[in-house]
Amino acid sequence: MSGTRIKRWLNMHGKEFNADGTLKPEAREQMLSEGMSNEAIDSYARRLKIKYDEWKRLDETDPEPWTVYTAYDFFTTEEKQQFNADGTLKAEYIEIALSKGMSESWLAEMERRKKIDVDNYNQVSARNAEQGINFGEEKMNEILASRRTYAERRKQMEQDLRNFEEPSSLPFEKDTPYF
């Protein structure tokens, strides 16, 4: 997706800055009323405009990869046997379920719930994409991170410590002994 950095920048600074990275007049007035000097405001606006220009240049020359995930990518193996990507039940599943005595009303309820899940995923994904956030990728990374073994998490923590990460963000205490 193009322009993801700029979308994130605007999401962070859009109340004070225009879509072209310039300070809004009303934001300047607010800062002046709070006692900031014109020089301090200009310095602030200049620093953020530099960051805006850099992110814009990167969006144009080195766009971030944007893997598109659908709700179906997060279905369990069993759900993939039961449902289509849009949340509707597969005809062969309906046939088998009915032959095992499952009621049509329960199948309709299952389908209704799954369609709501798919719609919700699509809405959140679209809303986040407008802000430059890849919801599906974040969700997939969460799943992958939760599947890591103790040894993998410990190794990552060692790297995080070398990078001076905040101790509260680490999965273990710094003094956790090795096996």
Side-chain angles (χ1 to χ4, degrees):
M1 171 170 248
S2 64
T4 55
R5 291 178 185 97
I6 290 299
K7 286 179 181 179
R8 281 196 308 273
W9 189 93
L10 288 169
N11 189 43
M12 292 184 294
H13 305 291
K15 291 180 181 170
E16 297 177 322
F17 288 83
N18 296 307
D20 65 355
T22 58
L23 186 65
K24 292 179 179 178
E26 57 270 21
R28 175 178 291 280
E29 291 302 317
Q30 177 67 33
M31 290 174 197
L32 286 169
S33 73
E34 292 171 356
M36 286 181 73
S37 68
N38 271 316
E39 294 79 19
I41 296 169
D42 289 343
S43 174
Y44 172 71
R46 195 170 30 260
R47 286 190 317 269
L48 266 74
K49 177 68 166 133
I50 288 168
K51 181 62 107 178
Y52 171 91
D53 290 341
E54 175 64 12
W55 284 21
K56 184 176 182 196
R57 183 190 66 76
L58 287 171
D59 276 346
E60 292 168 355
T61 61
D62 186 22
E64 293 178 310
W66 190 277
T67 305
V68 176
Y69 291 97
T70 66
Y72 188 77
D73 294 316
F74 300 99
F75 285 12
T76 65
T77 303
E78 183 180 354
E79 289 172 329
K80 287 180 179 180
Q81 293 170 352
Q82 298 170 339
F83 296 97
N84 297 306
D86 65 355
T88 57
L89 284 167
K90 292 183 175 182
E92 55 272 16
Y93 176 76
I94 293 172
E95 188 178 314
I96 292 168
L98 289 173
S99 72
K100 291 182 178 180
M102 198 174 288
S103 72
E104 286 185 31
S105 62
W106 175 244
L107 291 173
E109 179 63 15
M110 284 176 60
E111 184 173 90
R112 184 188 74 77
R113 290 178 184 185
K114 185 51 74 177
K115 287 168 94 175
I116 289 171
D117 289 345
V118 170
D119 289 344
N120 288 341
Y121 175 91
N122 292 339
Q123 289 173 2
V124 171
S125 185
R127 185 177 62 237
N128 285 9
E130 290 173 6
Q131 299 172 4
I133 300 167
N134 189 335
F135 175 71
E137 184 173 49
E138 285 185 353
K139 189 171 173 72
M140 186 61 73
N141 288 340
E142 287 173 13
I143 290 168
L144 296 175
S146 70
R147 291 181 181 166
R148 286 154 93 199
T149 65
Y150 172 84
E152 291 169 329
R153 290 181 191 182
R154 181 70 196 181
K155 185 176 180 182
Q156 181 62 51
M157 185 174 129
E158 291 169 6
Q159 180 64 46
D160 291 344
L161 285 170
R162 286 191 295 273
N163 291 337
F164 304 103
E165 294 290 333
E166 178 66 34
S168 64
S169 72
L170 301 174
F172 308 109
E173 295 295 323
K174 288 170 42 173
D175 304 337
T176 302
Y178 293 96
F179 286 8

